[in-house]
Amino acid sequence: MILILYAALFFMMVTSIVLLRNRFQFESIANQSITNVTTEPKISICIPARNEENVISKCVKSILSQNYSNFEVLVLDDNSDDKTPNILQDLALSHQQLHVFKGKAKPIEWLGKPWACHQLSKKANGDILLFIDADVWMTPDTIAKIVSKMDNYDALTVWPEQKVYGFLEQLIVPTVYFALLTLLPTIYVERSPRWIPTFISKHLDQKFVAACGQCIAFKKSAYQTINGHKSVKNEVVEDMELARKLKEHHLVLSMCNGIDTIYCRMYTSGSEIWQGFQKNFYAGFNNPFEFLLMAIIHFLFFLLPIASLIMGIAQKNDTFFTLSVLIVATYITQRLVLNHWFKWNWWIALLHPISVIWFQCLGIKCIYNKLFRIKAVWKGRQV
């Protein structure tokens, strides 16, 4: 037990350094200055939409209100069976820049989102292709900032400022950002670590990969080089795989956060959260070993110290008590920093162990699904 506690404390020290570094290096797209150019490159904003009647209007209207002039908005109605098509048609009647398409039947070898994005890419005429989810909205200067940022990059992904309202939303959704920003120095998405020798780092580059499919843009030439969404046609976590394809082809992906600029509300209910994470939680890992290793680490380093804290009090064991307090206080502080950074309620940070337990339960469900070949369902389709 004592060795586990020391290992957990060391882990917390390392992840605190990573978080601190990201706090200064993971820049907001809001800070990007807008480049004054004579000819604005055309940007195609591509939005796949399936059963999005509650959010699609807000998303599209925020795009149509951009102060960047040279853009087109392409929305693919992916065979929705709600009011999404009607809302889109009404919007298209009064906005020339909005083009609405009916999605074709999905081929058996494709998953839904890559297929929708692939169809959109075939309709796009822009020099830059920006793919956003239908539950995303943005401030009027966002497109201009994205185009300016991409002057020096082949691709750009932005992690939106997540809007969370219900208790489970506040508890669970920020945990994705917690994992990202405590485990990955985000600058390494863009470049290899300089402190690792080149002959080693070239073999580790695929470990320093991240992307957010809620907002990801490509120069058209880069998108074509990696064969676009066709190269990830059967990938559940297609954004991560696209990022890997970019690295494989030595193309540079930049990563920013969207605080005060790009917003998203991923889920609105407990069932949506459970189904949404169930479809991609297991798929987000490279292999079963990494999945199980991370589950074990979270159990030993986040949950076990709580038990050892109680044990330390009961047995009057000062070593157990001190180490456990330091570990728990460190990761609660990390979550407090994150919640302040992304404008989430501070007190939810105190409940971080509950979010870890929730993901442990989700992991068990994912393993069960894998063993018995049960496919997750999202928006009426098996994933």
Side-chain angles (χ1 to χ4, degrees):
M1 173 75 83
I2 195 72
L3 290 178
I4 292 173
L5 291 177
Y6 276 116
L9 184 58
F10 177 74
F11 179 83
M12 294 305 157
M13 291 170 61
V14 172
T15 54
S16 294
I17 292 169
V18 173
L19 178 61
L20 183 63
R21 183 173 183 179
N22 283 331
R23 184 65 184 86
F24 292 99
Q25 290 186 330
F26 189 38
E27 296 180 348
S28 174
I29 193 69
N31 297 330
Q32 173 65 40
S33 58
I34 297 174
T35 307
N36 292 318
V37 292
T38 306
T39 305
E40 295 179 332
K42 186 172 185 176
I43 181 167
S44 299
I45 298 99
C46 304
I47 309 170
R50 178 174 171 82
N51 295 340
E52 304 287 3
E53 63 181 7
N54 295 324
V55 295
I56 192 63
S57 180
K58 184 175 185 178
C59 172
V60 172
K61 285 179 179 178
S62 77
I63 299 297
L64 292 169
S65 65
Q66 294 295 304
N67 55 25
Y68 188 84
S69 60
N70 195 13
F71 73 94
E72 61 179 359
V73 186
L74 312 174
V75 185
L76 184 109
D77 167 35
D78 189 10
N79 298 292
S80 300
D81 52 20
D82 63 0
K83 296 177 182 176
T84 299
N86 299 332
I87 295 169
L88 289 172
Q89 290 301 332
D90 288 345
L91 288 168
L93 289 174
S94 53
H95 296 91
Q96 249 186 336
Q97 289 167 305
L98 175 60
H99 308 281
V100 179
F101 305 96
K102 178 73 173 178
K104 297 178 182 178
K106 182 181 74 65
I108 193 168
E109 70 273 16
W110 285 75
L111 289 180
K113 186 175 178 181
W115 173 239
C117 291
H118 174 70
Q119 292 176 81
L120 285 164
S121 72
K122 294 300 182 183
K123 302 287 186 181
N125 297 307
D127 305 298
I128 296 171
L129 276 60
L130 169 63
F131 296 91
I132 65 169
D133 285 357
D135 51 9
V136 168
W137 68 98
M138 54 186 65
T139 57
D141 59 351
T142 302
I143 297 301
K145 289 178 180 292
I146 286 173
V147 171
S148 297
K149 180 71 175 178
M150 289 191 68
D151 273 351
N152 302 312
Y153 299 99
D154 299 296
L156 170 70
T157 186
V158 183
W159 293 74
E161 179 182 325
Q162 297 293 337
K163 293 296 184 181
V164 288
Y165 300 104
F167 173 72
L168 268 179
E169 288 178 75
Q170 296 181 67
L171 186 68
I172 302 304
V173 172
T175 310
V176 177
Y177 283 54
F178 181 88
L180 172 75
L181 296 170
T182 59
L183 296 175
L184 175 68
T186 54
I187 191 65
Y188 296 158
V189 172
E190 182 179 321
R191 62 167 176 81
S192 299
R194 291 173 181 151
W195 51 276
I196 299 179
T198 305
F199 71 93
I200 296 176
S201 67
K202 67 182 181 181
H203 297 293
L204 295 177
D205 269 355
Q206 291 298 315
K207 299 296 182 184
F208 299 112
V209 165
C212 181
Q214 293 169 351
C215 181
I216 186 166
F218 305 85
K219 286 182 177 173
K220 194 164 192 175
S221 57
Y223 186 77
Q224 292 170 339
T225 297
I226 65 172
N227 203 19
H229 282 82
K230 189 175 183 179
S231 67
V232 295
K233 63 183 179 181
N234 58 359
E235 298 289 348
V236 177
V237 189
E238 85 293 334
D239 46 9
M240 291 285 286
E241 294 305 320
L242 287 167
R244 289 191 178 96
K245 296 292 181 185
L246 289 165
K247 279 215 169 185
E248 284 175 12
H249 288 83
H250 307 290
L251 298 167
V252 182
L253 170 70
S254 181
M255 192 162 77
C256 299
N257 72 67
I259 294 174
D260 295 327
T261 309
I262 300 176
Y263 307 92
C264 178
R265 188 181 182 191
M266 292 172 65
Y267 307 115
T268 60
S269 68
S271 60
E272 274 192 6
I273 294 169
W274 182 255
Q275 291 175 359
F277 278 105
Q278 190 178 153
K279 71 178 168 45
N280 56 22
F281 185 48
Y282 182 88
F285 292 84
N286 288 326
N287 53 61
F289 173 77
E290 285 189 9
F291 181 80
L292 291 172
L293 177 63
M294 195 54 63
I296 292 168
I297 286 174
H298 275 73
F299 175 77
L300 294 178
F301 293 175
F302 288 86
L303 300 180
L304 193 63
I306 295 175
S308 67
L309 174 60
I310 297 169
M311 190 185 305
I313 295 171
Q315 298 179 357
K316 298 182 180 179
N317 187 319
D318 291 344
T319 304
F320 272 25
F321 176 80
T322 303
L323 287 173
S324 301
V325 167
L326 286 172
I327 293 163
V328 175
T330 300
Y331 69 68
I332 293 296
T333 301
Q334 290 175 348
R335 184 73 183 255
L336 283 167
V337 169
L338 192 73
N339 282 25
H340 180 266
W341 185 4
F342 282 88
K343 304 177 183 180
W344 298 317
N345 286 339
W346 69 269
W347 63 269
I348 292 290
L350 305 178
L351 304 178
H352 187 69
I354 299 176
S355 67
V356 175
I357 293 171
W358 189 92
F359 274 99
Q360 294 283 312
C361 295
L362 179 68
I364 293 170
K365 175 59 176 172
C366 289
I367 292 172
Y368 178 86
N369 288 351
K370 192 73 176 176
L371 289 174
F372 291 94
R373 298 182 179 181
I374 299 171
K375 292 189 175 183
V377 176
W378 183 245
K379 294 188 182 296
R381 283 178 177 158
Q382 286 189 333
V383 178

